[in-house]
Amino acid sequence: MKILIADDSRTNVALLSNALHKLGHEVVAASSGREAVALFQLQRPDLLILDVMMENMDGFECARQIRALDSDDWIPIIFLSASVDDASIAKGIDAGGDDYLAKPFSEITLEAKIKAMQRISDMRQKLFETTQKLYLLSSTDALTDVYNRAQFDRSVKEIVATADRYHNQLALLFIDLDNFKNVNDTFGHHIGDLLLTEVAARLKRCVRSVDFVARLGGDEFAVVLSEIKNIEEAAATAKNILAALDADYNLDNHYIRNGASIGIACYPAMAGSVEDLILNADIAMYHAKASGRNNFQYYTQELNQRYRQQINLEHSLKFAIERHEMFLTYQPIFELQSRNLAGVEVLINWDHPKFGVVSPSIFIPIAENTSLINEIGSWVLETACTELSQFPIRTFKKFRFAINISPRQILQEDFYQHIIEILTAKALPPNFLELELTETSVMTYTNPNFQDVLRKLHKAGVSISIDDFGTGYSSLIRLKHLPINALKIEKLFVQDAATNSNGSIIVNCLIALGKNLGMTVIAEGIETQEQLDFLIAKGCPQGQGYYLSKPLTADKLAVFFKNMQVKQP
Ligand code: C2E
Ligand code: CA
């Protein structure tokens, strides 16, 4: 042990040093209280032995000053005094001392007291280490070993406070993996966990040691760049992160690619408080996701406004059904050559008392992010079956009503049962129903459950069609192996086809592809006679669009059926 002793009597110093050397300790000697305080800071001893009676500064005052200096470490102090009475013991303890040694001391007592102090000191060290470990455990994420949400909350506050003090800039990056749910659904949780661990490791490699990486939960990570020169520096790091995360992952011999979306908010340029900084990075992240994924976005005022609208919409959407603000329209689908009715597509509409008519392209994605899509989906199915069963649709040899389905609905536990029950209750044969799934959803949801439900429905007689065909990336092999009855050509291609040679080539190919795969092809968004002529010339069997008929409310559909009966008795 390194022991600092203080005594203004040279003889006493020599005596004590001698004894301590014999016991194998290193000694640093001071001849006054003041010198002891100075030496303490320089030498960082393991134990202090202070004579109580010293000129100018006595041992108690010396202890008090040392304790005032030393807030974190606890170094034991033993007082050396000729008078060890109750009053001076109490005074010594008040001054921050731990034990007393009576003068003249016996070497055995000295050794025993030092050993006792050493033991206490060791125990304190262990306690300190355990506390550190516990702190680390409570501040890190057990799976990925980066910081956890609780530590993130604490650290962001500290980093912002430091930035205020030194007038620094900092950046907060929110990072969300683009297809994590898919990876989990397709490969299982074990591979999902491996992916998260590897993402955390890659993130750490992209930032400096002074920066901060945390997992906020699920597949959301945060990076705090604690000191940046300008906001472009945040973009440079975001680009590095995107490149690092986009590289192939080999997870237990599964080769996976998984991009990410990043939202950036800088402090103080884009937020005035810690709360705003976190909210704004989140808003920017949602925007990055909505802008096509695998990209980064800065927070802006305009995004903030859009976000507030979105929150309002989200809130109103919860009550839209019970407040009877939703209604359905039906867009007729025709055999193009004969103009016979082939069926209708069911479309949901939301007439909000304050916002007016809100397009499903806006509110369906919001509903898809929450379980509201299941409630809305059920309502559409039940309402369509109820309304349509009142029309003479059963008199048609072939009639189908097509309902747009979000992939999340299919993964509901009782989706199949629910459909069969409604059809049975309304006495509608299953082959009247067609489910429209977008190309992207069919291609990204590759897990067996999803496909099983589609196969079961198909087996029961329900048709499946692929919506917006041509906008996603289809694997022909998957297309061939899925139970698909129809392809719907996205309206942008149809509208390009009559005027633009590339458009016409695309539509031609899509029609040929559908036919070769044995599927019906339905052109969407026919708006002119020219487009209709083109499609008929290319042999497209079916179509829909404003030129043929706009989507009709249930009342107008009733009139439509009446007129048809008059024309086709
Ligand atoms: P979609 O499946 O591609 O539906 C066709 C959209 O094109 C409809 O817009 C329809 O009104 C519009 N449309 C029809 N003919 C023409 C035309 O000649 N020209 C043009 N420019 N547009 C035409 P809407 O009703 O706004 O629906 C938008 C999207 O919302 C739908 O796109 C569909 O993906 C989704 N959606 C609609 N109803 C539902 C629903 O009940 N459930 C789910 N999950 N999604 C729905
Ligand atoms: Ca559709």
Side-chain angles (χ1 to χ4, degrees):
M1 259 182 145
K2 189 199 253 189
I3 301 176
L4 171 64
I5 60 175
D7 200 320
D8 54 0
S9 141
R10 279 168 185 256
T11 325
N12 283 349
V13 168
L15 258 170
L16 190 54
S17 300
N18 238 341
L20 292 171
H21 280 140
K22 265 206 278 179
L23 293 169
H25 299 293
E26 186 189 336
V27 178
V28 178
S31 55
S32 70
R34 202 158 285 133
E35 194 186 352
V37 176
L39 280 175
F40 173 82
Q41 284 165 284
L42 284 173
Q43 299 276 344
R44 309 302 296 176
D46 305 307
L47 171 70
L48 289 112
I49 302 179
L50 307 177
D51 184 29
V52 172
M53 303 293 283
M54 286 189 286
E55 287 223 355
N56 294 329
M57 185 191 285
D58 67 7
F60 296 145
E61 180 54 26
C62 177
R64 254 191 296 274
Q65 290 203 6
I66 284 174
R67 285 288 183 246
L69 283 176
D70 194 50
S71 51
D72 286 343
D73 284 355
W74 174 84
I75 310 291
I77 299 178
I78 299 176
F79 289 116
L80 200 59
S81 175
S83 58
V84 184
D85 51 62
D86 284 354
S88 47
I89 289 178
K91 210 171 163 199
I93 299 294
D94 280 349
D98 301 288
D99 205 351
Y100 256 93
L101 186 64
K103 266 201 235 179
F105 59 85
S106 88
E107 286 187 13
I108 295 179
T109 316
L110 176 68
E111 187 179 7
K113 297 225 171 207
I114 291 176
K115 274 193 180 150
M117 285 301 134
Q118 173 122 43
R119 240 175 260 143
I120 297 175
S121 182
D122 287 350
M123 269 156 57
R124 272 191 67 100
Q125 183 60 25
K126 264 202 198 113
L127 189 69
F128 176 74
E129 283 166 13
T130 315
T131 321
Q132 286 293 93
K133 264 190 214 151
L134 276 176
Y135 178 73
L136 214 63
L137 274 179
S138 70
S139 64
T140 50
D141 173 49
L143 175 68
T144 58
D145 215 27
V146 292
Y147 290 109
N148 60 17
R149 169 118 231 169
Q151 186 56 36
F152 167 80
D153 289 339
R154 287 191 288 263
S155 293
V156 170
K157 276 193 199 128
E158 280 167 23
I159 298 169
V160 166
T162 311
D164 281 341
R165 206 172 314 131
Y166 297 104
H167 304 290
N168 288 341
Q169 268 207 84
L170 67 96
L172 171 60
L173 278 63
F174 268 2
I175 301 153
D176 193 278
L177 301 185
D178 286 340
N179 285 312
F180 181 68
K181 281 192 193 72
N182 255 340
V183 172
N184 249 349
D185 287 349
T186 312
F187 300 102
H189 288 269
H190 169 60
I191 299 293
D193 284 355
L194 289 180
L195 176 64
L196 293 174
T197 313
E198 177 61 20
V199 165
R202 289 185 188 185
L203 284 178
K204 277 204 271 190
R205 272 182 250 134
C206 290
V207 299
R208 303 164 301 177
S209 58
V210 289
D211 297 328
F212 180 94
V213 179
R215 179 175 168 228
L216 303 182
D219 58 344
E220 255 190 52
F221 291 85
V223 164
V224 185
L225 306 176
S226 48
E227 202 184 325
I228 52 167
K229 285 190 209 75
N230 46 46
I231 59 173
E232 287 77 23
E233 213 176 301
T237 307
K239 276 185 202 155
N240 286 342
I241 291 177
L242 286 176
L245 298 189
D246 196 38
D248 275 3
Y249 294 84
N250 175 2
L251 307 171
D252 260 4
N253 289 326
H254 294 281
Y255 289 87
I256 289 171
R257 271 191 91 166
N258 199 322
S261 304
I262 303 180
I264 307 175
C266 298
Y267 181 90
M270 300 171 192
S273 67
V274 175
E275 292 73 25
D276 279 356
L277 181 68
I278 293 174
L279 178 67
N280 295 351
D282 210 24
I283 293 174
M285 201 266 291
Y286 276 101
H287 182 54
K289 270 212 173 313
S291 341
R293 294 161 189 257
N294 210 26
N295 75 110
F296 69 88
Q297 296 288 335
Y298 283 112
Y299 166 81
T300 60
Q301 263 305 327
E302 189 206 334
L303 282 186
N304 192 355
Q305 260 171 5
R306 257 197 262 169
Y307 169 79
R308 309 241 165 250
Q309 272 173 356
Q310 173 115 347
I311 296 272
N312 271 337
L313 274 187
E314 246 179 75
H315 180 72
S316 316
L317 194 56
K318 286 188 195 140
F319 307 102
I321 290 177
E322 64 188 63
R323 290 181 185 162
H324 306 287
E325 292 164 8
M326 298 283 189
F327 66 96
L328 296 182
T329 51
Y330 302 88
Q331 185 173 39
I333 301 171
F334 297 91
E335 303 277 355
L336 291 185
Q337 191 103 46
S338 65
R339 284 282 183 103
N340 285 339
L341 185 70
V344 291
E345 174 174 359
V346 181
L347 295 161
I348 190 168
N349 299 266
W350 181 15
D351 192 3
H352 186 275
K354 207 164 97 203
F355 307 130
V357 176
V358 186
S359 161
S361 325
I362 291 176
F363 71 81
I364 290 290
I366 297 177
E368 279 175 340
N369 283 332
T370 65
S371 53
L372 268 181
I373 192 64
N374 293 334
E375 195 191 325
I376 291 176
S378 293
W379 180 85
V380 171
L381 196 69
E382 284 178 33
T383 312
C385 288
T386 309
E387 291 185 342
L388 286 170
S389 61
Q390 298 157 10
F391 298 124
I393 56 175
R394 296 179 194 83
T395 60
F396 289 84
K397 245 197 273 152
K398 271 190 186 167
F399 179 91
R400 37 174 228 287
F401 60 101
I403 294 196
N404 293 287
I405 298 286
S406 301
R408 245 188 105 154
Q409 290 175 256
I410 303 223
L411 291 172
Q412 275 176 109
E413 228 164 66
D414 54 353
F415 184 69
Y416 171 82
Q417 203 50 39
H418 185 53
I419 287 200
I420 301 298
E421 274 170 23
I422 294 177
L423 291 173
T424 314
K426 303 292 168 194
L428 290 168
N431 59 359
F432 272 43
L433 177 62
E434 180 163 298
L435 302 182
E436 290 192 7
L437 285 153
T438 63
E439 180 176 20
T440 316
S441 68
V442 173
M443 288 302 145
T444 40
Y445 278 75
T446 51
N447 71 329
N449 267 354
F450 191 84
Q451 297 183 20
D452 284 353
V453 178
L454 292 189
R455 290 211 172 85
K456 260 168 80 179
L457 285 164
H458 188 253
K459 222 171 150 199
V462 174
S463 302
I464 315 281
S465 65
I466 299 200
D467 210 357
D468 304 335
F469 193 70
T471 55
Y473 299 95
S474 277
S475 137
L476 287 185
I477 299 185
R478 290 212 60 214
L479 267 188
K480 231 178 130 73
H481 284 89
L482 284 169
I484 293 159
N485 304 75
L487 298 182
K488 298 193 74 169
I489 304 178
E490 156 66 25
K491 54 179 168 288
L492 292 177
F493 295 128
V494 171
Q495 287 160 5
D496 259 10
T499 50
N500 164 316
S501 65
N502 281 341
S504 90
I505 293 169
I506 292 174
V507 171
N508 239 335
C509 284
L510 295 178
I511 294 172
L513 178 70
K515 282 190 175 164
N516 281 321
L517 292 169
M519 299 171 187
T520 304
V521 177
I522 305 157
E524 292 184 296
I526 305 170
E527 289 185 354
T528 64
Q529 178 69 44
E530 208 184 353
Q531 290 161 4
L532 179 62
D533 292 342
F534 174 86
L535 291 162
I536 294 175
K538 298 299 174 191
C540 180
Q542 296 185 1
Q544 65 191 94
Y546 295 165
Y547 185 69
L548 301 170
S549 168
K550 288 211 162 176
L552 308 169
T553 57
D555 291 346
K556 288 203 173 127
L557 189 66
V559 177
F560 175 86
F561 276 119
K562 256 198 196 121
N563 287 344
M564 254 188 16
Q565 276 168 336
V566 175
K567 275 189 207 151
Q568 300 172 346

